[in-house]
Amino acid sequence: MQKRCIALTCSRSVYNLSVNSRGIRMGKMSNKQTRTDVILIGAGIMSATLGTILKELVPDWNIKVFEKLDKAGEESSNEWNNAGTGHAALCELNYTVEKPDGSIDISKALKINEQFQLSRQFWSYLVNHNLISNPQDFIMPLPHMSMVQGAKNVEFLKKRFEALSNSHLFQGMEFSDDSKKLMEWIPLIMQDRTSSEPIAATKIDIGTDVNFGALTRMLIDHLERKDVEINYEHKVENLKRTSDGSWEVKVLSDSGKLEYHTAQFVFIGGGGGSLHLLQKTGIPESKHVGGFPVSGLFLVCNNPEVVEQHHAKVYGKAAVGAPPMSVPHLDTRYIDNKKSLLFGPFAGFSPKFLKTGSNMDLLGSVKPNNVFTMLAAGAKNVPLTKYLIQQLMLSKEQRIEELRDFIPNAKSEDWDIVVAGQRVQVIKDTPAGKGTLQFGTEVINAEDGSVAALLGASPGASTAVHVMLEVIKKCFPQHIKEWEPKIKEMIPSYGKSLAENQELFYEVDSSTAKALGLTESKSLQMVGSK
């Protein structure tokens, strides 16, 4: 990336050429063309995180960001377009699976928890080095709870609690099926509950509510102060490999002019829009990959008296056939420094890949190389299709009825409907079969590491630091040894397992809680009191 260009051959009209230490930079031109080190497509949490990490590792690299909207963090990263859960597997039941022998597999929960710890460490580094400030504007301590109803589900939850409690990552979690204790924890949920069905919950105080929109804007503002060029209302139209192995990115600017920007590394972090751009690269890794869009709705409480009666994120169990992103939960949220209460999400369907996308997005993503993959996914996921149709048909009052499983006395007039963000679940051929629907976050990169794209959904933003470290590892392997000391400075547990290193976890938990104004784990508090 740092080689000096000594010649340029280009058929496009060019004016005011100038040479700097990075190569040739071109100024005013009829069809603007410039060369840079790194291009980030999309100004969401993923691009903002990758750009921030790279600027710490190699401050002199030239980075450009292209965003088709007029602000940063307006799609999936926006605070109204996601649940704001700092996903650490503290409350999400789909991260712990009951095996055929009745035991609980907590391996995925451990992995997700460790990945969120990386994010906490990096955010703490940024705060401690005054690169961002006021962490309470994007992260707040909030209990995470799981709640289930029915004897079988209560039994599962108790076994899950016992399994997780064996790990120091989850120490401090409490379980109760006692109605008086539950009334203390979740009075809004327990009040006026007349059902005789068994009910139980787990509670852990070290959970968080994260405003990923606010965090994204902080990171983008920081990058601008570091002379990263942020281009809003610039839509990437195409990506094309050049003869020297770099990538030419065709961009339509807000003025209607075409620009051509060339870089040796391109990251496609455009949310649901990433799939189309990945397909345009033509790399072999983009073949036999499709996407299935799922939209969502939340009920938002407009009655401050009701909002004040609840203080937790309470996750339930997903309905049979529902995607993981549709797990019902009643969440306290902090948005614009105001306490809010949301319930949902209700799944829906739109052929758009972005809220601001086109109704032709889904059809346009079907290519000769993935059509059979897409058809196989459709055949395999008939229950999901039925579930989405049922969700689409729900009236507001029917949604309120589902809310009453959580809040028995919920009143329709206290709640409004808000449309959440679009998610595009990855469809690909895997050892499990053709057209497997993937529920999670996935990076697809070229073999030579010159381009990478982020696809998928939850846990997404919560594990952005982990995901971007994986991008760096795969796409810049020649630099990893050189960069490792700085990475470890930013993320002390890098390369180590917090699940296997109790003392390191206590150290990390304490330092990040202090920097971010969060709650320390009870296990650490007990150690400190001895």
Side-chain angles (χ1 to χ4, degrees):
M1 285 192 184
Q2 300 181 13
K3 291 181 179 178
R4 182 183 178 86
C5 296
I6 58 174
L8 173 70
T9 302
C10 183
S11 61
R12 309 187 201 284
S13 300
V14 179
Y15 304 95
N16 297 341
L17 294 180
S18 61
V19 179
N20 67 11
S21 61
R22 294 205 159 273
I24 297 181
R25 291 176 55 88
M26 289 151 276
K28 298 176 183 178
M29 48 192 81
S30 57
N31 281 330
K32 184 179 177 185
Q33 180 163 356
T34 60
R35 181 174 291 274
T36 190
D37 293 324
V38 174
I39 288 176
L40 307 176
I41 301 174
I45 187 63
M46 294 296 177
S47 290
T49 300
L50 180 57
T52 303
I53 293 175
L54 287 176
K55 265 299 175 182
E56 290 301 296
L57 296 176
V58 274
D60 60 333
W61 275 9
N62 189 310
I63 300 175
K64 291 184 179 180
V65 179
F66 295 101
E67 167 58 52
K68 77 168 189 172
L69 301 180
D70 61 354
K71 297 176 184 175
E74 285 297 286
E75 276 283 352
S76 296
S77 303
N78 186 269
E79 48 268 44
W80 290 106
N81 288 342
N82 59 69
T85 302
H87 284 290
L90 303 175
C91 57
E92 307 93 321
L93 298 176
N94 54 301
Y95 293 148
T96 46
V97 179
E98 187 170 9
K99 295 190 285 190
D101 65 0
S103 63
I104 306 297
D105 182 357
I106 66 169
S107 57
K108 187 171 184 179
L110 295 173
K111 183 172 73 172
I112 297 294
N113 189 291
E114 287 192 298
Q115 291 174 1
F116 184 63
Q117 299 296 338
L118 299 181
S119 293
R120 282 180 49 148
Q121 290 172 69
F122 182 61
W123 300 337
S124 297
Y125 167 86
L126 296 177
V127 170
N128 291 333
H129 288 76
N130 298 313
L131 302 179
I132 62 174
S133 57
N134 303 320
Q136 69 276 6
D137 288 344
F138 75 88
I139 189 167
M140 294 287 284
L142 189 70
H144 279 197
M145 299 182 63
S146 303
M147 185 195 77
V148 297
Q149 300 176 64
K152 187 176 180 180
N153 288 333
V154 169
E155 181 185 1
F156 162 77
L157 186 65
K158 188 169 186 179
K159 288 194 294 185
R160 176 184 183 271
F161 160 72
E162 291 168 350
L164 290 176
S165 296
N166 289 326
S167 168
H168 51 269
L169 299 181
F170 297 89
Q171 284 176 13
M173 181 180 284
E174 301 174 73
F175 169 89
S176 181
D177 55 5
D178 178 71
S179 58
K180 291 183 180 179
K181 175 59 73 173
L182 295 178
M183 178 63 84
E184 292 177 19
W185 289 354
I186 40 177
L188 186 63
I189 291 174
M190 294 303 295
Q191 186 178 345
D192 297 332
R193 185 169 291 276
T194 58
S195 172
S196 59
E197 191 174 35
I199 183 171
T202 57
K203 176 176 178 285
I204 187 165
D205 293 330
I206 59 174
T208 54
D209 177 65
V210 185
N211 185 327
F212 289 108
L215 175 59
T216 299
R217 294 187 287 271
M218 284 183 186
L219 295 179
I220 292 293
D221 287 347
H222 161 69
L223 288 176
E224 284 194 288
R225 292 193 296 272
K226 291 286 187 177
D227 297 322
V228 171
E229 183 181 305
I230 314 294
N231 299 277
Y232 294 113
E233 297 183 289
H234 278 60
K235 182 181 179 183
V236 174
E237 298 277 310
N238 199 14
L239 294 92
K240 187 174 71 173
R241 201 71 182 261
T242 65
S243 57
D244 67 356
S246 56
W247 289 93
E248 181 186 78
V249 179
K250 179 181 177 182
V251 183
L252 182 64
S253 72
D254 54 348
S255 63
K257 290 185 178 180
L258 287 177
E259 303 174 359
Y260 295 86
H261 300 262
T262 306
Q264 288 188 321
F265 174 71
V266 176
F267 174 69
I268 306 172
S274 294
L275 178 59
H276 286 143
L277 294 175
L278 173 64
Q279 291 173 330
K280 289 177 183 294
T281 67
I283 61 174
E285 293 80 5
S286 70
K287 312 296 184 184
H288 308 290
V289 176
F292 183 77
V294 180
S295 61
L297 299 171
F298 280 100
L299 289 171
V300 182
C301 186
N302 58 38
N303 185 335
E305 293 182 5
V306 176
V307 173
E308 286 304 316
Q309 294 178 56
H310 186 75
H311 187 73
K313 286 185 181 290
V314 182
Y315 273 58
K317 289 201 77 172
V320 176
M325 66 165 288
S326 297
V327 171
H329 44 96
L330 182 67
D331 293 350
T332 295
R333 297 288 309 275
Y334 291 93
I335 298 176
D336 298 329
N337 295 313
K338 178 183 175 183
K339 189 175 179 180
S340 304
L341 184 59
L342 277 70
F343 175 77
F346 297 94
F349 175 79
S350 165
K352 294 181 180 182
F353 279 6
L354 294 165
K355 283 183 78 171
T356 56
S358 164
N359 285 322
M360 295 300 292
D361 284 346
L362 177 57
L363 184 61
S365 71
V366 180
K367 308 294 182 184
N369 67 69
N370 73 359
V371 63
F372 291 110
T373 299
M374 298 284 283
L375 289 172
K380 287 181 177 179
N381 290 280
V382 173
L384 173 60
T385 303
K386 290 181 177 178
Y387 172 79
L388 293 177
I389 292 172
Q390 291 169 353
Q391 289 277 292
L392 281 170
M393 300 296 288
L394 292 177
S395 64
K396 179 185 177 182
E397 191 54 41
Q398 287 172 315
R399 299 181 199 280
I400 294 293
E401 278 301 316
E402 290 197 23
L403 169 62
R404 289 184 180 126
D405 283 342
F406 277 70
I407 306 177
N409 60 6
K411 298 176 182 178
S412 183
E413 61 267 26
D414 290 341
W415 298 81
D416 300 315
I417 294 177
V418 171
V419 179
Q422 286 286 110
R423 300 291 185 269
V424 179
Q425 307 290 352
V426 180
I427 298 172
K428 61 187 292 190
D429 300 336
T430 70
K434 198 169 190 68
T436 302
L437 191 61
Q438 305 283 94
F439 294 107
T441 306
E442 185 160 348
V443 173
I444 295 177
N445 59 276
E447 186 177 4
D448 66 356
S450 61
V451 64
L454 182 85
L455 306 175
S458 183
S462 297
T463 60
V465 173
H466 162 76
V467 175
M468 292 305 101
L469 288 175
E470 288 299 303
V471 168
I472 288 171
K473 191 184 301 182
K474 291 177 180 178
C475 297
F476 301 99
Q478 71 276 24
H479 293 293
I480 289 298
K481 188 173 182 180
E482 170 194 353
W483 292 347
E484 195 169 88
K486 183 64 179 181
I487 294 175
K488 288 182 176 178
E489 179 190 345
M490 296 187 290
I491 304 161
S493 73
Y494 177 76
K496 299 176 182 178
S497 170
L498 290 176
E500 297 175 4
N501 192 324
Q502 187 169 337
E503 291 304 317
L504 179 60
F505 168 72
Y506 288 158
E507 182 181 328
V508 164
D509 185 78
S510 176
S511 62
T512 59
K514 181 178 179 180
L516 300 174
L518 303 178
T519 305
E520 291 182 346
S521 71
K522 286 188 177 180
S523 53
L524 179 59
Q525 294 170 13
M526 288 187 287
V527 169
S529 66
K530 291 181 181 179

